[in-house]
Amino acid sequence: MGANVIMVASGKGGTGKSTVAVLLGAELAARGRRVLLVELDSGLRSVDYIAGVYGKTVYDVEDVLNGRCEAGKAVVESPVYRNLYVISAPYSGGHILPAALRVFVEKVGPVFDTIVLDTAAGMGVPFEAAMGVAHRALLVLTPDPVSIRDGRIVCDALEAGGCPEIRLIINKVPRTLANCGIQSLDECIDTVGAQLIGVVPFSTEIQKAGATGAPLAPAGRPRLALRAIAARLCGQYTPLVIR
Ligand SMILES: Nc1ncnc2c1ncn2[C@@H]1O[C@H](COP(=O)(O)OP(=O)(O)O)[C@@H](O)[C@H]1O
Ligand SMILES: [Mg+2]
């Protein structure tokens, strides 16, 4: 059987797609799954930092898709998260061809349990390519009006593209929504029109790691939130409120 393919998407940039992709991949890996995380955001790499594989990659996803190297040569195991394997995006832009991505997923599918495709913001080439192979999409947004509006547009595009399942992750949620420009998280869910799968709190630890390029190994509530999302993806009931 082939791997379960999950794409991570957003409307607005910087909502935390790559962060969520790595931490969720790590939690699925911790549950015993072999996880391949492929970063498709050409020219705007960040997964290599977050997963701690910076400087360890020679080949990238375009080398693999264009047949310049075997997939095995581009795959690097994260030194931070066991069982999480990463293929980085190229340093400079290029095209991810949907047909090539499909062939790649079919080829490596039997080797992994889950393939996480970390896309770029909006509905460009990586988004289209990922949508062609994904079994479900995780739409990551932050609790603010622009992110919600853009999330709605992407959700509509996923529905129009026939994506079998769309689930919402609200990331960077502060303790109070007083300065967010929205009344409640229900507003995000109702406006976007997708079922919620998890809420990840704003974390100064994640923010600091992002600012310094340090690999991410957060503890506490953000970790528990991602662990709960991984459990839900595996079909396990997990309450929404984390205490
Ligand atoms: N839950 C969070 N709390 C605080 N900062 C976060 C959180 N999630 C992501 N970030 C920060 O937001 C920035 C953008 O995250 P990133 O994952 O690169 O977004 P994207 O892939 O959507 O562009 C990074 O600096 C990252 O550290
Ligand atoms: Mg990213």
Side-chain angles (χ1 to χ4, degrees):
M1 219 177 72
N4 186 258
V5 184
I6 300 171
M7 69 182 279
V8 183
S10 76
K12 194 166 163 257
T15 60
K17 288 178 297 305
S18 298
T19 303
V20 165
V22 173
L23 295 181
L24 188 60
E27 291 302 333
L28 289 169
R31 295 177 69 91
R33 298 200 173 190
R34 273 172 71 82
V35 181
L36 176 64
L37 169 54
V38 186
E39 187 175 31
L40 298 176
D41 198 354
S42 298
L44 294 169
R45 265 189 187 209
S46 61
V47 163
D48 54 350
Y49 276 122
I50 306 170
V53 302
Y54 176 78
K56 296 182 196 296
T57 53
V58 177
Y59 298 103
D60 59 55
V61 65
E62 278 181 18
D63 291 324
V64 178
L65 297 188
N66 293 325
R68 287 192 291 269
C69 81
E70 286 293 316
K73 286 195 172 169
V75 175
V76 181
E77 186 173 9
S78 165
V80 188
Y81 303 109
R82 212 174 142 258
N83 259 345
L84 176 65
Y85 298 85
V86 175
I87 299 186
S88 296
Y91 279 112
S92 55
H95 280 303
I96 306 287
L97 295 175
L101 186 66
R102 178 172 288 282
V103 171
F104 166 76
V105 164
E106 278 167 11
K107 201 169 168 185
V108 301
V111 183
F112 294 95
D113 301 305
T114 305
I115 298 176
V116 180
L117 300 173
D118 178 26
T119 70
M123 295 157 307
V125 177
F127 174 86
E128 289 291 335
M131 198 165 56
V133 291
H135 299 114
R136 51 162 64 115
L138 298 178
L139 185 51
V140 181
L141 53 86
T142 46
D144 60 85
V146 175
S147 182
I148 297 173
R149 185 194 57 192
D150 294 356
R152 170 65 191 247
I153 294 166
V154 169
C155 188
D156 288 348
L158 285 164
E159 276 174 5
C163 183
E165 187 186 333
I166 307 162
R167 302 295 297 268
L168 192 64
I169 295 179
I170 311 176
N171 186 30
K172 304 195 202 183
V173 177
R175 287 192 179 274
T176 159
L177 295 175
N179 299 316
C180 292
I182 59 165
Q183 300 299 318
S184 71
L185 295 186
D186 288 350
E187 202 174 321
C188 306
I189 302 163
D190 294 344
T191 308
V192 175
Q195 196 187 342
L196 184 71
I197 195 166
V199 173
V200 184
F202 184 90
S203 149
T204 44
E205 201 183 356
I206 296 179
Q207 187 186 37
K208 263 188 221 158
T212 57
L216 204 52
R221 288 169 72 242
R223 179 89 187 254
L224 291 177
L226 269 305
R227 187 170 296 166
I229 294 171
R232 290 178 197 122
L233 283 173
C234 294
Q236 193 180 319
Y237 172 75
T238 314
L240 195 59
V241 179
I242 299 156
R243 297 183 195 282

